[in-house]
Amino acid sequence: MGRLKLQTGINAIEEEPEECDVTYTNKTALACMINSEIGAVLAVMRRNVRWGGRYMSGDDQLEHSLIQSLKSLRKQIYTWQHPWHTINPAVYLQPFLDVIRSDETGAPITGVALSSVYKILTLDMIDQNTVNAGDSVHLIVDAVSCCRFELTDPASEEMVLMKILQVLLACMKNKASIMLSNQHVCTIVNTCFRIVHQAATKGELLQRIARHTVYELVRCTFSHLSEISTTEHALVNGNSSSKQEAGRGSNDDYVLGSRLLENGNLGHEFDGQLSSNNFDSNSSSAPLATGMDENLLEDSNVKDTVPFDLHLMNEPYGVPCMVEIFRFLCSLLNLVEHMELGGRSNTMAFDEDVPLFALGLLNSAIELGGPSFRHHPRLLSLIQDELFQNLMQFGLSTSSLILSMVCSIVLNLYHHLRTELKLQIEAFFSCVILRLVQTRYGASYQQQEVAMEALVDFCRQKTFMVEMYANLDCDITCSNVFEDLANLLSKSAFPVNCPLSSMHILALDGLIAVIQGMAERIGNGTGIENTPVNLEEYTPFWMVKCENYNDPNQWIPFVRRKKYIKRRLMIGADHFNRDPKKGLEFLQGTHLLPDKLDPKSVACFFRFTAGLDKNLVGDFLGNHDEFCVQVLHEFAGTFDFQDMNLDTALRLFLETFRLPGESQKIQRVLEAFSERYYEQSPQILVNKDAALLLSYSLILLNTDQHNVQVKKKMTEEDFIRNSRHINGGNDLPRDFLSELYHSICKNEIRTIPEQGNGFPEMTPSRWIDLMNKSKKSSPFIVSDSKAYLDRDMFAIMSGSTIAAISVVFDHAEHEEVYQTCIDGFLAVAKISACHHLEDVLDDLVVSLCKFTTLMNPSSVEEPVLAFGDDTKARMATTTVFNIANMYGDFIRSGWRNILDCILRLHKLGLLSARVASHAADESELSSDTGHGKPLTSSLSAAHIPSVGTPKRSSGLMGRFSQLLSLDNEEPRSQPTEQQLAAHQRTLQTIQKCNIDSIFTESKFLQAESLLQLAQALIWAAGRPQKGNSSPEDEDTAVFCLELLIAITLNNRDRIVLLWPGVYDHISNIVQSTVMPCALVEKAVFGLLRICQRLLPYKENLADELLRSLQLVLKLDARVADAYCEQITQEVSRLVKANASHIRSPSGWRTITSLLSITARHPEASEAGFDALLFIVSDGAHLLPANYTLCIDASRQFSESRVGQAERSLRALDLMAGSVDCLARWAREGKEAAREEEVIKMSQDIGDMWLRLVQGLRKVCLDQREEVRNQALLSLQKCLTGVDEIHLPHGLWLQCFDLVIFTMLDDLLEIAQGHSQKDYRNMEGTLILAMKLLSKVFLLLLQDLSQLTTFCKLWLGVLNRMEKYAKAKVKGKRSEKLQELVPELLKNTVLVMKTKGVLVQRSALGGDSLWELTWLHVNNISPSLQSEVFPDQDSNRLLGQGEKGGPTSSEANSVSSAEKVAADSAGTGG
């Protein structure tokens, strides 16, 4: 049997000795001390007449033996030569013990003797190394427990009793106490407890000392439990073979429950003597002690137990005495119940005093024994059954003191032994805590408060709720304790139609303790992936097991699976209650029941599923259908009736369903029950028929006794008589039937069980069932500090938790409560974010935003002052923005509420004027974070002035200055100190919020949250409306737009995500605005800014970004005109910074379109041309993709009459210079590309060149002379400087038709049809044009002359020369042209002659080129032919024609030439 290990110097819970704390090592000193104690006893004895007289009476009479023994000891003590520890203590103790035992001594003498023994014990004269120490301490215990003395007066009696307590406690604290036997420890406790009861009629001091002594004894005893070896047969000294054999002989078969007050030596003498006639006959202590003892003896035999083996009780003390003491303490609780039931009167206040005392002792034992209890099955069994059953009953006590102590004990038990008390803990919360806290069960406010305090204490245990969830909520056979407790805390925190009370705050503390526990576990990780549970095939749900309950990788998926099954069963129960058939089909569909129903699975569904309608279950089980009968028998088979009384078993069985009313159904149900009961408990009954008949009898008796309609009740004799011969023809034992009768009479069997999910009362039958279940229950899962199941738990309690905290926060008036609520809110936010519960976080944000008062319409005159004075609003505001900054990743719809708060602060002028600009500039100017950040870089930059929108005072300081300012018309008083303080508090609050960081740090937001934030900004801005928005609405829209642009710029890497919404919003603004305003200004320049910033990083989006700038082209004319210059400056910046990143034609088309528009705008044209110059100049950024577009833009600038003509000339220079780019591209293409690519590139270059010269052609018609002439020169350069381009002949023909001839014709028409005021000095222009024609023609003559269409081209040239030669400028022919044209013609003909192009190749009529040439030339210069071809008789043919006319062939030739000439004249016109 386990006992104390022998140690030197056991550190018991010691008191300071009263006499002296010096250990005497000197023999003489110790002898002197004993001598002084002998003298003290003798001195007191001499004061007594009897002792003194006898001593002096004469020599013939001997001295009394007590005096003689003392004197004898006095003689011996100085003669001992051996070391003190080798002297048997019994020698010097015995004379004092004889005095203590003597019934002749009075109380003073006995008291002094007790003091002497106490002194010897406290001076450590006896220790474990002393000879015969064990027997000596046994002698002391025996003597003191059998103390006898004459009762002289109450004070003396109390003094002796206190000395007894003192000595017995000193025995337990002495170093030799480990040699005390189990028997003697029990004797000590029993003796002290007798004095406790006897002290009830004595003074208050004795009562307190007695109780304290018992308390210390229990502590001394159980403090050694952790030191006791779990080896059953370990002995203290290990040298007693007889004791070893005795120990082995007892083996492990002894049963707890032996009575503490038996075995002869355990106090019968004390009882006899303490109650003897030596006491005053009027003393009430004797009957009290005796009566108390009898009750203890009676109660200790409640259970069938046998005492410990005598050898075990005589071994050095250990577990056996602890078992006895613990059982004795439990029996005190039973005793109280019996006394209350029996109505026995007693002077002690049993209603509260005794249970409190017993509970305090039990609590102390549990505190000191701690987890060591689990190593000793008998102690553990006492806790599991007897103690806990008593705790359940006393938990419902009306005394708040008792309830508080019960809760403390359960908390200690949870802390040390929860793995062994799974179902007991569930029962305590279901049947005690949850019942008490809910008002519907009739508990007083004090009871509710104590229960709530206890619950909160449990909630403060970090793993309590996790373990409740894992072990109970996820077990199909247990109730949802976690869920019930969480709901209870939430409901209890709600002040319903009443002010906030301490109970509400207490519940809130518990709720927040649970939440904060989850929040603290977040950093510890989970390590287990939360995979969804899916039942793919049927597995018996009641047989699901876990292989290793200590391995989180196994038990976590297991409990999640069990919880999933439990939830599905609850849903199935709901379906079953509406329609049993559909309910079973639903469970088959979820694979909780097999596709083909079997009786076992349906029976287990009925047995283990909570919430079933018990009427429907009873009808199903009582049905005569064969399947239902099979289910009934399987259902009965799920019960464990082992060692259970028949009435208890019947109660348990009938609690699970309602017994049907039809007799046949009742018979079927009772047959199944009786069969199962007889199978498991056949002790008295001979067969199942006997069980059936007796069950019927009990049902009839129950109806008879508890039905109000039955007037004449069945007596015990009637019941016994009716139950004759039912046990196989024999009678059942009368005692057995009598017990059943009284049990039914006292406690009704409820055939209509409680419906619903209430919290039932713990009945004896339910407790027996609980103990049976606990033997088969799955192991208790111990959770560590990781957040394994927190997500599942939080999802259950989050909604009610947020609501509860919000309600308390709303009703609270003290800052401490505010802070508690805020801590709860932050913990909820942290958990929601960690476990990605976005909906919960949104709900939290919505709830918190309401408390900021920022979303409420302002009903106060000075909302800023009101906000500064409202602590709750300021704390809520700070918390909202802290959550937004810390957990913004997981906010979704909550962004709308947050933005409402921001906008309200903005409207009140409480936000810094640079919030949005700081946000926008963050990525660009991250190094410059000071207050002096230049505003020129912000969205409200100096170079983007707002048009038509007056600047208003913004920012808190602006509001503050308004407050300080004095209105000229209506003077205002200076602000008070309170107002100044309110403003200061408001300022501090806004600074704490760090609102701008929401947007500057948006680049770290998760994509979904970022998108929701952007959408919330768009929503908050509102849809723009044409011309009827208020200034306040516009200000809001502007602010939202600034923030939207800010987050867009800060998230360039995720622009694809944001861009559609941003673009649509800006587009709506642009297209709905008809007048200049701040909103459209921010929209346009924000759009440009986005493009400026993002083009370098998002080349794949360049086209889309640039395409968005087409919105600028859609601006209303008035709006565009107002912002044209600034827009152009921004476009110019964009081009200069990002020209290399713009590669597509569509992108360049947008840019050049914007630039082209500026050509005719006075203020914008300079900036626009500057950007164009940057692109085209030296071909720096000219590309095939933008060449044509840039040429068109340049042409528009050259044609523009805005500004000086010099810019037009520069534009022409740009156009002319661009031909070099074409040449360069042609060279590069030939070097790098393949043949087919060269052909394609040549064709593209040709097209671009043609667009270039066409553009120049148009400028050649400009009214301004210098521009017109410069255009002609530029055109000439482009036509003549293209040797490297190698344009195809067909393109040149196209060029002559579309460009040169058209230009010549248009110029001539202008010269002849417009006044000189519009076009000055057209003559000079015509001359330049004619020179251009001649030069280009001659340059290309060699190549073009080979073409079949050359004749047509040549006639076109001649036609224009002829027209120009005859042209009239200012109403008369131009002399200069008349001189120039023949000269140019002569030069041309000479070149043609030289190159062999113009020669007479055949006889008359065979060469149309020759003939047509001279036909036109002669119209211009008749003498030219003879000058050029002097040898030709050119007049011959003409002469013949004059004389006789042409022949038929000649006529045909002339007519065809004329036709060609006419066609040529019309070409290109």
Side-chain angles (χ1 to χ4, degrees), residues 382-398:
L382 276 173
I383 292 174
Q384 289 173 324
D385 191 355
E386 190 171 350
L387 173 61
F388 234 107
Q389 187 177 13
N390 285 323
L391 292 177
M392 297 287 291
Q393 291 166 347
F394 277 101
L396 298 175
S397 166
T398 56

Side-chain angles (χ1 to χ4, degrees), residues 202 855 870:
K202 309 296 181 186
M855 299 175 67
D870 191 341

Side-chain angles (χ1 to χ4, degrees), residues 637-652:
T638 62
F639 288 85
D640 181 8
F641 298 139
Q642 194 79 32
D643 300 325
M644 202 177 287
N645 288 341
L646 181 65
D647 66 312
T648 301
L650 192 58
R651 291 178 202 278
L652 278 177

Side-chain angles (χ1 to χ4, degrees), residues 128-149:
Q128 66 267 36
N129 298 317
T130 304
V131 171
N132 210 22
D135 291 339
S136 300
V137 290
H138 290 165
L139 280 173
I140 296 173
V141 173
D142 289 339
V144 173
S145 61
C146 298
C147 173
R148 306 174 185 183
F149 60 92

Side-chain angles (χ1 to χ4, degrees), residues 1108-1127:
S1108 68
L1109 294 179
Q1110 292 177 5
L1111 289 175
V1112 179
L1113 303 175
K1114 299 178 182 179
L1115 283 169
D1116 185 273
R1118 289 166 290 188
V1119 178
D1121 186 61
Y1123 301 121
C1124 189
E1125 181 180 3
Q1126 296 96 318
I1127 291 172

Side-chain angles (χ1 to χ4, degrees), residues 845 879-889 891 895 898 998 1005:
V845 169
T879 306
V880 165
F881 289 110
N882 283 344
I883 290 173
N885 278 302
M886 290 189 291
Y887 309 117
D889 274 342
I891 298 176
W895 283 122
I898 292 172
I998 293 175
L1005 283 179

Side-chain angles (χ1 to χ4, degrees), residues 1373-1389:
R1373 290 198 176 192
S1374 170
E1375 294 180 358
K1376 292 181 180 180
L1377 284 174
Q1378 287 179 342
E1379 293 176 3
L1380 177 65
V1381 172
E1383 184 180 341
L1384 291 174
L1385 179 59
K1386 179 180 179 181
N1387 187 39
T1388 303
V1389 171

Side-chain angles (χ1 to χ4, degrees), residues 252-265:
D252 207 22
D253 300 332
Y254 67 89
V255 179
L256 297 186
S258 71
R259 291 173 300 187
L260 186 62
L261 307 176
E262 65 176 11
N263 292 333
N265 295 328

